[in-house]
Every structure is written in structure tokens, then in C-alpha cells.
Amino acid sequence: MRSGPTSSPPLPQALTPLDAAPGWRRIDLLSDLHLSPDMPATLARFRAHLAATPADAVFLLGDIFEAWVGDDARWQAGTFEQFALELLRDVSRHRALFFMHGNRDFVLGEAMAADASMRLLSDPTRLNAFGHTWLLSHGDQLCLEDVGYLRARAIVRRPDVQATLLALPLFARRALARHLRAKSRMHQTDPGRWADVDDDASRDWLKASGCDTLIHGHTHRPATHDLGDGLTRVVLSDWDYDHGPGRGDVLVIDADGLRRIEPLT
């Protein structure tokens, strides 16, 4: 619930709807894979799902990569970014591919998207599919109690700040990414104690957008929340098949509605 003076982030005055193509029969939505060279089992499970899914479109809703240091890294031979480009290109050869920025990969740009033949999505995006309208978001903008993060987000998302960061040499950006990941791990505890998405803000977004279901990630708390008045908030899981028994999920939208499944193998 909302506490203090923080208010809901405003929606764009007019959300341009994204219409599912007439031939689509299934849409897969995933988020928070946090892919990196240090997560080979998670990467393998992701590739296995993409090879097995019958989906006509795949929507990646942020934090697909643990860190993205700049599109120019994709041209550095043997790097993870070059591998990521080839992986995404392979996906887009077989189905429509969409990418929404998360807090870990927000500098992935139009150059990378064009090379991978995927479409960048605004956050939020209103999706019209199978006779229903869904509001898609990464979710971080709605964690209103995480005041420090939201202040930092407002700074690093400024075009001038991003331009300054991307002007650094690639080795310096990689070092900065390593430092920020290490700092983040030091402050990570039980996800249940992290700031959660604000339900009042979710309701505000849904009512303003004319949607009744919000789908998001970011919080690593997979669940379905009844917000009242016919409104629902559905949360994707993060993925981790490198530590412990493994976890991850996919939300599927088709003519039967919305359902949650385990990644296919």
C-alpha cells in the first residue's frame, strides 16, 4: 500500500496500443532472467524453452541480462554480448520478439534491437490480444517505497547521463558493471523484504490505461493479486537454475486467457 507523499508515476497521456498480429495463437512473457556468463544452466533453460515453445511472439519484460554495458560490446569477438546478439537473432527468425527495459539492461538500445530484429517496448505497454487488453510493465516504477532507487532511476535514465556513461571506454563500463553487481549482492537479502509494487499505484495505472490486468516482473515474487473492482496484478518470477533446485516461469496468453507455466524443455 502507498505510504507517505509518494504518488503514482504518471502514464503517458496516450498509450499507443500494440495489437497482436492476426495469425498469433500464443504469446509468451518472461522477465528477470539475469543472464550472464556466470549463469550457464539458466541460459541453457532459456534456450531450451525458446526451442520448444509454440509461441508466435515472445515478450521479454526487463532484466533479461544481469548487466548490459552498451550495444557496441556486441562487436567484441567472443564476448557474452556477441553471444546474446546471436541468441536473440535466432529467436526473431522464428517468432516476433519484443524487449522492455529493466533496471539492469536499460541501456540496450535501438542498434542492438535492430540487429536482433526485435522491437523495443515503452514501459508500460498496452497489449491488445485475443479480445482482451493487458498492461505490461517491468514493474520497478511502481515500487513507491523504494525511494532511493526511484531517485537514482530518474537520474540514470536521463539521456545526457546515459550518453556520458556510454562514452566511457568499454573496459571502464565493464568494471563499473562488476562493481555495481557486487554492491547489489551485498544488499540483497530475502526478496520478501524488498519494496513491493504498490497496489494503489497499480490500480491507478490500470484505470488510466483502460486495462484490467497488469503483468510485471522486477520483484521476484510470482503471484496473482486481486486488486478489487475487477482489477488484477500478475507477477512473473525471476529465473535461476544455477543455484538450488531451480526456479522460473513463463506467462502464456492465448485464446483461453492467461496462465502460468514452467519453462519448457
Side-chain angles (χ1 to χ4, degrees), residues 181-207:
R181 286 200 302 271
K183 186 176 179 180
S184 175
R185 291 190 188 105
M186 288 176 60
H187 292 88
Q188 284 176 352
T189 56
D190 178 7
R193 300 179 62 185
W194 300 349
D196 200 1
V197 162
D198 186 276
D199 282 345
D200 288 339
S202 300
R203 280 188 283 268
D204 290 345
W205 268 24
L206 287 168
K207 291 175 181 178

mmCIF file of all heavy atoms in Angstrom, residues 181-207:
data_model
loop_
_atom_site.group_PDB
_atom_site.id
_atom_site.type_symbol
_atom_site.label_atom_id
_atom_site.label_comp_id
_atom_site.label_asym_id
_atom_site.label_seq_id
_atom_site.Cartn_x
_atom_site.Cartn_y
_atom_site.Cartn_z
ATOM 1 N N ARG A 181 27.300 -4.710 -9.557
ATOM 2 C CA ARG A 181 26.738 -6.034 -9.249
ATOM 3 C C ARG A 181 27.182 -6.493 -7.869
ATOM 4 O O ARG A 181 26.391 -7.035 -7.096
ATOM 5 C CB ARG A 181 27.160 -7.055 -10.304
ATOM 6 C CG ARG A 181 26.451 -6.901 -11.633
ATOM 7 C CD ARG A 181 26.528 -8.169 -12.464
ATOM 8 N NE ARG A 181 27.898 -8.580 -12.720
ATOM 9 C CZ ARG A 181 28.609 -8.181 -13.751
ATOM 10 N NH1 ARG A 181 28.091 -7.343 -14.632
ATOM 11 N NH2 ARG A 181 29.848 -8.620 -13.940
ATOM 12 N N ALA A 182 28.461 -6.290 -7.563
ATOM 13 C CA ALA A 182 28.964 -6.689 -6.247
ATOM 14 C C ALA A 182 28.287 -5.892 -5.142
ATOM 15 O O ALA A 182 27.910 -6.449 -4.095
ATOM 16 C CB ALA A 182 30.478 -6.496 -6.191
ATOM 17 N N LYS A 183 28.090 -4.617 -5.368
ATOM 18 C CA LYS A 183 27.415 -3.775 -4.374
ATOM 19 C C LYS A 183 25.972 -4.211 -4.191
ATOM 20 O O LYS A 183 25.458 -4.257 -3.066
ATOM 21 C CB LYS A 183 27.485 -2.316 -4.818
ATOM 22 C CG LYS A 183 26.949 -1.330 -3.798
ATOM 23 C CD LYS A 183 27.147 0.101 -4.284
ATOM 24 C CE LYS A 183 26.598 1.098 -3.274
ATOM 25 N NZ LYS A 183 26.783 2.511 -3.736
ATOM 26 N N SER A 184 25.315 -4.573 -5.299
ATOM 27 C CA SER A 184 23.930 -5.021 -5.223
ATOM 28 C C SER A 184 23.823 -6.315 -4.427
ATOM 29 O O SER A 184 22.925 -6.478 -3.603
ATOM 30 C CB SER A 184 23.367 -5.217 -6.631
ATOM 31 O OG SER A 184 22.074 -5.750 -6.586
ATOM 32 N N ARG A 185 24.743 -7.260 -4.668
ATOM 33 C CA ARG A 185 24.692 -8.539 -3.952
ATOM 34 C C ARG A 185 24.877 -8.340 -2.455
ATOM 35 O O ARG A 185 24.307 -9.064 -1.645
ATOM 36 C CB ARG A 185 25.766 -9.479 -4.495
ATOM 37 C CG ARG A 185 25.514 -9.964 -5.913
ATOM 38 C CD ARG A 185 26.456 -11.066 -6.312
ATOM 39 N NE ARG A 185 26.333 -11.388 -7.718
ATOM 40 C CZ ARG A 185 27.220 -11.040 -8.648
ATOM 41 N NH1 ARG A 185 28.304 -10.360 -8.301
ATOM 42 N NH2 ARG A 185 27.040 -11.382 -9.902
ATOM 43 N N MET A 186 25.675 -7.357 -2.057
ATOM 44 C CA MET A 186 25.900 -7.094 -0.637
ATOM 45 C C MET A 186 24.613 -6.674 0.063
ATOM 46 O O MET A 186 24.433 -6.919 1.256
ATOM 47 C CB MET A 186 26.960 -6.002 -0.465
ATOM 48 C CG MET A 186 28.375 -6.439 -0.795
ATOM 49 S SD MET A 186 29.546 -5.059 -0.664
ATOM 50 C CE MET A 186 29.335 -4.618 1.061
ATOM 51 N N HIS A 187 23.699 -6.056 -0.687
ATOM 52 C CA HIS A 187 22.464 -5.552 -0.090
ATOM 53 C C HIS A 187 21.265 -6.456 -0.351
ATOM 54 O O HIS A 187 20.165 -6.164 0.105
ATOM 55 C CB HIS A 187 22.166 -4.141 -0.626
ATOM 56 C CG HIS A 187 23.143 -3.107 -0.157
ATOM 57 N ND1 HIS A 187 24.311 -2.833 -0.828
ATOM 58 C CD2 HIS A 187 23.145 -2.298 0.936
ATOM 59 C CE1 HIS A 187 24.982 -1.887 -0.187
ATOM 60 N NE2 HIS A 187 24.297 -1.549 0.880
ATOM 61 N N GLN A 188 21.507 -7.546 -1.071
ATOM 62 C CA GLN A 188 20.403 -8.450 -1.351
ATOM 63 C C GLN A 188 20.173 -9.377 -0.168
ATOM 64 O O GLN A 188 21.098 -10.016 0.316
ATOM 65 C CB GLN A 188 20.679 -9.274 -2.612
ATOM 66 C CG GLN A 188 20.497 -8.483 -3.893
ATOM 67 C CD GLN A 188 20.860 -9.299 -5.119
ATOM 68 O OE1 GLN A 188 21.384 -10.399 -5.009
ATOM 69 N NE2 GLN A 188 20.591 -8.754 -6.289
ATOM 70 N N THR A 189 18.929 -9.456 0.266
ATOM 71 C CA THR A 189 18.540 -10.392 1.305
ATOM 72 C C THR A 189 17.334 -11.150 0.792
ATOM 73 O O THR A 189 17.198 -11.383 -0.402
ATOM 74 C CB THR A 189 18.216 -9.627 2.604
ATOM 75 O OG1 THR A 189 17.196 -8.650 2.336
ATOM 76 C CG2 THR A 189 19.455 -8.916 3.144
ATOM 77 N N ASP A 190 16.460 -11.557 1.657
ATOM 78 C CA ASP A 190 15.237 -12.237 1.257
ATOM 79 C C ASP A 190 14.390 -11.301 0.396
ATOM 80 O O ASP A 190 14.048 -10.197 0.829
ATOM 81 C CB ASP A 190 14.466 -12.644 2.513
ATOM 82 C CG ASP A 190 13.138 -13.321 2.207
ATOM 83 O OD1 ASP A 190 12.852 -13.594 1.029
ATOM 84 O OD2 ASP A 190 12.388 -13.571 3.169
ATOM 85 N N PRO A 191 14.032 -11.727 -0.857
ATOM 86 C CA PRO A 191 13.199 -10.866 -1.698
ATOM 87 C C PRO A 191 11.895 -10.450 -1.028
ATOM 88 O O PRO A 191 11.335 -9.409 -1.364
ATOM 89 C CB PRO A 191 12.934 -11.741 -2.931
ATOM 90 C CG PRO A 191 14.090 -12.679 -2.981
ATOM 91 C CD PRO A 191 14.440 -12.958 -1.543
ATOM 92 N N GLY A 192 11.419 -11.253 -0.085
ATOM 93 C CA GLY A 192 10.187 -10.907 0.608
ATOM 94 C C GLY A 192 10.301 -9.625 1.416
ATOM 95 O O GLY A 192 9.279 -9.063 1.825
ATOM 96 N N ARG A 193 11.536 -9.152 1.637
ATOM 97 C CA ARG A 193 11.733 -7.926 2.405
ATOM 98 C C ARG A 193 11.974 -6.722 1.498
ATOM 99 O O ARG A 193 12.111 -5.602 1.982
ATOM 100 C CB ARG A 193 12.910 -8.106 3.368
ATOM 101 C CG ARG A 193 12.702 -9.237 4.376
ATOM 102 C CD ARG A 193 13.893 -9.398 5.293
ATOM 103 N NE ARG A 193 14.141 -8.225 6.103
ATOM 104 C CZ ARG A 193 15.180 -8.085 6.915
ATOM 105 N NH1 ARG A 193 16.084 -9.053 7.015
ATOM 106 N NH2 ARG A 193 15.324 -6.985 7.635
ATOM 107 N N TRP A 194 12.056 -6.949 0.176
ATOM 108 C CA TRP A 194 12.263 -5.842 -0.739
ATOM 109 C C TRP A 194 10.971 -5.039 -0.883
ATOM 110 O O TRP A 194 9.873 -5.543 -0.660
ATOM 111 C CB TRP A 194 12.675 -6.344 -2.120
ATOM 112 C CG TRP A 194 13.941 -7.146 -2.148
ATOM 113 C CD1 TRP A 194 14.849 -7.301 -1.142
ATOM 114 C CD2 TRP A 194 14.418 -7.926 -3.245
ATOM 115 N NE1 TRP A 194 15.868 -8.119 -1.529
ATOM 116 C CE2 TRP A 194 15.639 -8.525 -2.826
ATOM 117 C CE3 TRP A 194 13.966 -8.176 -4.525
ATOM 118 C CZ2 TRP A 194 16.384 -9.351 -3.650
ATOM 119 C CZ3 TRP A 194 14.712 -8.994 -5.347
ATOM 120 C CH2 TRP A 194 15.906 -9.569 -4.919
ATOM 121 N N ALA A 195 11.119 -3.802 -1.301
ATOM 122 C CA ALA A 195 9.940 -2.992 -1.589
ATOM 123 C C ALA A 195 9.125 -3.651 -2.696
ATOM 124 O O ALA A 195 9.675 -4.107 -3.703
ATOM 125 C CB ALA A 195 10.356 -1.581 -2.009
ATOM 126 N N ASP A 196 7.824 -3.720 -2.506
ATOM 127 C CA ASP A 196 6.954 -4.373 -3.472
ATOM 128 C C ASP A 196 6.238 -3.318 -4.314
ATOM 129 O O ASP A 196 6.216 -2.126 -3.978
ATOM 130 C CB ASP A 196 5.930 -5.248 -2.742
ATOM 131 C CG ASP A 196 5.314 -6.305 -3.637
ATOM 132 O OD1 ASP A 196 5.697 -6.374 -4.822
ATOM 133 O OD2 ASP A 196 4.459 -7.072 -3.158
ATOM 134 N N VAL A 197 5.638 -3.762 -5.398
ATOM 135 C CA VAL A 197 4.819 -2.893 -6.222
ATOM 136 C C VAL A 197 3.622 -2.407 -5.406
ATOM 137 O O VAL A 197 2.997 -3.178 -4.672
ATOM 138 C CB VAL A 197 4.362 -3.656 -7.488
ATOM 139 C CG1 VAL A 197 3.178 -2.967 -8.146
ATOM 140 C CG2 VAL A 197 5.518 -3.778 -8.474
ATOM 141 N N ASP A 198 3.325 -1.140 -5.532
ATOM 142 C CA ASP A 198 2.234 -0.518 -4.781
ATOM 143 C C ASP A 198 0.899 -0.831 -5.458
ATOM 144 O O ASP A 198 0.704 -0.543 -6.645
ATOM 145 C CB ASP A 198 2.469 0.994 -4.723
ATOM 146 C CG ASP A 198 1.475 1.702 -3.838
ATOM 147 O OD1 ASP A 198 0.373 2.011 -4.343
ATOM 148 O OD2 ASP A 198 1.790 1.929 -2.669
ATOM 149 N N ASP A 199 -0.018 -1.407 -4.692
ATOM 150 C CA ASP A 199 -1.300 -1.806 -5.276
ATOM 151 C C ASP A 199 -2.141 -0.603 -5.686
ATOM 152 O O ASP A 199 -2.840 -0.636 -6.704
ATOM 153 C CB ASP A 199 -2.076 -2.696 -4.304
ATOM 154 C CG ASP A 199 -1.567 -4.131 -4.287
ATOM 155 O OD1 ASP A 199 -0.812 -4.502 -5.219
ATOM 156 O OD2 ASP A 199 -1.914 -4.875 -3.350
ATOM 157 N N ASP A 200 -2.122 0.475 -4.900
ATOM 158 C CA ASP A 200 -2.877 1.668 -5.276
ATOM 159 C C ASP A 200 -2.358 2.248 -6.593
ATOM 160 O O ASP A 200 -3.138 2.654 -7.468
ATOM 161 C CB ASP A 200 -2.784 2.725 -4.180
ATOM 162 C CG ASP A 200 -3.585 2.362 -2.939
ATOM 163 O OD1 ASP A 200 -4.504 1.533 -3.063
ATOM 164 O OD2 ASP A 200 -3.289 2.905 -1.866
ATOM 165 N N ALA A 201 -1.024 2.284 -6.734
ATOM 166 C CA ALA A 201 -0.444 2.781 -7.982
ATOM 167 C C ALA A 201 -0.804 1.864 -9.146
ATOM 168 O O ALA A 201 -1.060 2.331 -10.264
ATOM 169 C CB ALA A 201 1.073 2.890 -7.842
ATOM 170 N N SER A 202 -0.832 0.559 -8.894
ATOM 171 C CA SER A 202 -1.234 -0.381 -9.945
ATOM 172 C C SER A 202 -2.660 -0.120 -10.392
ATOM 173 O O SER A 202 -2.969 -0.114 -11.597
ATOM 174 C CB SER A 202 -1.106 -1.828 -9.435
ATOM 175 O OG SER A 202 0.220 -2.127 -9.062
ATOM 176 N N ARG A 203 -3.535 0.100 -9.420
ATOM 177 C CA ARG A 203 -4.929 0.409 -9.767
ATOM 178 C C ARG A 203 -5.020 1.709 -10.574
ATOM 179 O O ARG A 203 -5.788 1.802 -11.540
ATOM 180 C CB ARG A 203 -5.782 0.502 -8.499
ATOM 181 C CG ARG A 203 -6.199 -0.849 -7.936
ATOM 182 C CD ARG A 203 -7.189 -0.682 -6.796
ATOM 183 N NE ARG A 203 -6.512 -0.272 -5.577
ATOM 184 C CZ ARG A 203 -6.050 -1.116 -4.648
ATOM 185 N NH1 ARG A 203 -6.194 -2.422 -4.808
ATOM 186 N NH2 ARG A 203 -5.447 -0.661 -3.560
ATOM 187 N N ASP A 204 -4.233 2.712 -10.173
ATOM 188 C CA ASP A 204 -4.242 3.975 -10.908
ATOM 189 C C ASP A 204 -3.848 3.760 -12.366
ATOM 190 O O ASP A 204 -4.479 4.293 -13.286
ATOM 191 C CB ASP A 204 -3.272 4.972 -10.264
ATOM 192 C CG ASP A 204 -3.747 5.473 -8.910
ATOM 193 O OD1 ASP A 204 -4.938 5.286 -8.581
ATOM 194 O OD2 ASP A 204 -2.919 6.053 -8.180
ATOM 195 N N TRP A 205 -2.775 2.996 -12.579
ATOM 196 C CA TRP A 205 -2.319 2.722 -13.943
ATOM 197 C C TRP A 205 -3.374 1.958 -14.736
ATOM 198 O O TRP A 205 -3.633 2.272 -15.893
ATOM 199 C CB TRP A 205 -1.014 1.921 -13.895
ATOM 200 C CG TRP A 205 0.216 2.766 -13.908
ATOM 201 C CD1 TRP A 205 0.331 4.063 -13.512
ATOM 202 C CD2 TRP A 205 1.507 2.361 -14.352
ATOM 203 N NE1 TRP A 205 1.628 4.490 -13.661
ATOM 204 C CE2 TRP A 205 2.365 3.477 -14.176
ATOM 205 C CE3 TRP A 205 2.034 1.185 -14.859
ATOM 206 C CZ2 TRP A 205 3.723 3.434 -14.510
ATOM 207 C CZ3 TRP A 205 3.391 1.128 -15.192
ATOM 208 C CH2 TRP A 205 4.221 2.248 -15.026
ATOM 209 N N LEU A 206 -3.962 0.947 -14.128
ATOM 210 C CA LEU A 206 -4.945 0.140 -14.837
ATOM 211 C C LEU A 206 -6.156 0.981 -15.234
ATOM 212 O O LEU A 206 -6.645 0.903 -16.368
ATOM 213 C CB LEU A 206 -5.361 -1.053 -13.979
ATOM 214 C CG LEU A 206 -4.304 -2.161 -13.862
ATOM 215 C CD1 LEU A 206 -4.689 -3.160 -12.766
ATOM 216 C CD2 LEU A 206 -4.139 -2.884 -15.193
ATOM 217 N N LYS A 207 -6.647 1.776 -14.311
ATOM 218 C CA LYS A 207 -7.826 2.598 -14.622
ATOM 219 C C LYS A 207 -7.502 3.634 -15.687
ATOM 220 O O LYS A 207 -8.314 3.899 -16.589
ATOM 221 C CB LYS A 207 -8.337 3.259 -13.352
ATOM 222 C CG LYS A 207 -8.945 2.269 -12.356
ATOM 223 C CD LYS A 207 -9.340 2.955 -11.054
ATOM 224 C CE LYS A 207 -9.923 1.949 -10.067
ATOM 225 N NZ LYS A 207 -10.263 2.587 -8.766
#
